Amino acid sequence: MSLTNVLFVLLLSGFTLAQDDGNANETLSCDPDRGDLLREFGAMRETFGAMETRLKESETQILELKNKERTNVTFSAATGGGGNYIGPFNTDITLIYRTVITNIGGAYSPFTGVFFAPVPGVYYFTIFFHAGLTYGTNLLLYKNNQLMLATSDHGSTSDTADNGGNAVFLQLKQGDQVYVVMTENSYVWGTDHHTTFSGFLVTEM
């Protein structure tokens, strides 16, 4: 039962009890007043009903504004490289994905290859690579200095093309860094389409 209906019932009950305290003649003589009071109660009921409706509308608007204020974070980037191999190197390197496909929120840097979490929350990340022949490929995804996942393929003289990937959900604090390391003596095929690093904010916490 709504607040309006509860108030109406309480007022009506109170009036009835007051009437019961008098004699029959007083009750009959008050009938016109009772009608007036019932009409007033009805008007009050309508007023409270309108107030409840406005309150619900306000709550809906506040909820919509909160949803609009939520941070949107989505990025995808490829290594670039003009169709040439990137690597191998004699040391581990942070693999920089220079070709930005999407970077909503600007949390990924194509200059450093590092993603910075702008808000605390759960994020989803994927890495994919294309390579082949001779050298192997070994990519590691880090959260700050902690290894979170890897994808790799051994070098081969008979296998002319290799593809690999991996994905993970990570709970990040604001300012946490996520990046990909390519280990020494490994390489990837560098284009705007093959070797990619992507992520997005699943839910803010």
Side-chain angles (χ1 to χ4, degrees):
M1 185 179 291
S2 69
L3 176 62
T4 303
N5 289 335
V6 171
L7 180 60
F8 182 71
V9 170
L10 287 174
L11 288 172
L12 188 58
S13 299
F15 180 80
T16 303
L17 288 172
Q19 293 291 348
D20 290 342
D21 290 338
N23 58 39
N25 291 332
E26 288 176 339
T27 301
L28 289 173
S29 65
C30 288
D31 280 347
D33 293 336
R34 180 176 184 177
D36 291 340
L37 283 172
L38 286 174
R39 281 190 290 274
E40 289 179 14
F41 290 159
M44 290 173 63
R45 184 179 183 181
E46 289 180 4
T47 301
F48 280 112
M51 290 173 63
E52 281 186 331
T53 300
R54 286 196 294 270
L55 182 60
K56 287 177 182 176
E57 289 174 352
S58 298
E59 289 173 349
T60 301
Q61 290 174 351
I62 290 169
L63 220 77
E64 289 175 353
L65 287 172
K66 283 183 177 179
N67 289 336
K68 287 180 182 177
E69 290 173 358
R70 287 178 182 170
T71 305
N72 292 318
V73 182
T74 304
F75 80 96
S76 282
T79 56
N84 296 300
Y85 286 115
I86 299 174
F89 302 104
N90 60 6
T91 187
D92 296 353
I93 67 159
T94 297
L95 188 59
I96 300 176
Y97 298 79
R98 302 183 186 280
T99 302
V100 174
I101 301 168
T102 302
N103 197 13
I104 299 171
Y108 172 74
S109 170
F111 304 104
T112 64
V114 178
F115 171 86
F116 288 88
V119 293
V122 175
Y123 294 77
Y124 181 71
F125 295 94
T126 64
I127 53 175
F128 293 98
F129 73 86
H130 176 73
L133 292 175
T134 315
Y135 297 99
T137 299
N138 191 33
L139 301 182
L140 313 174
L141 186 137
Y142 278 85
K143 167 188 168 182
N144 300 323
N145 296 316
Q146 183 181 3
L147 175 63
M148 304 308 299
L149 63 79
T151 181
S152 60
D153 191 89
H154 298 293
S156 171
T157 56
S158 59
D159 186 5
T160 58
D162 296 313
N163 296 281
N166 212 337
V168 67
F169 288 96
L170 294 180
Q171 184 174 344
L172 304 179
K173 300 188 298 291
Q174 185 177 23
D176 278 349
Q177 302 177 28
V178 178
Y179 54 95
V180 179
V181 169
M182 184 170 70
T183 63
E184 62 178 332
N185 295 322
S186 66
Y187 71 147
V188 294
W189 184 241
T191 73
D192 293 342
H193 312 101
H194 287 81
T195 303
T196 61
F197 176 31
S198 303
F200 65 90
L201 174 63
V202 177
T203 182
E204 195 170 341
M205 299 179 70

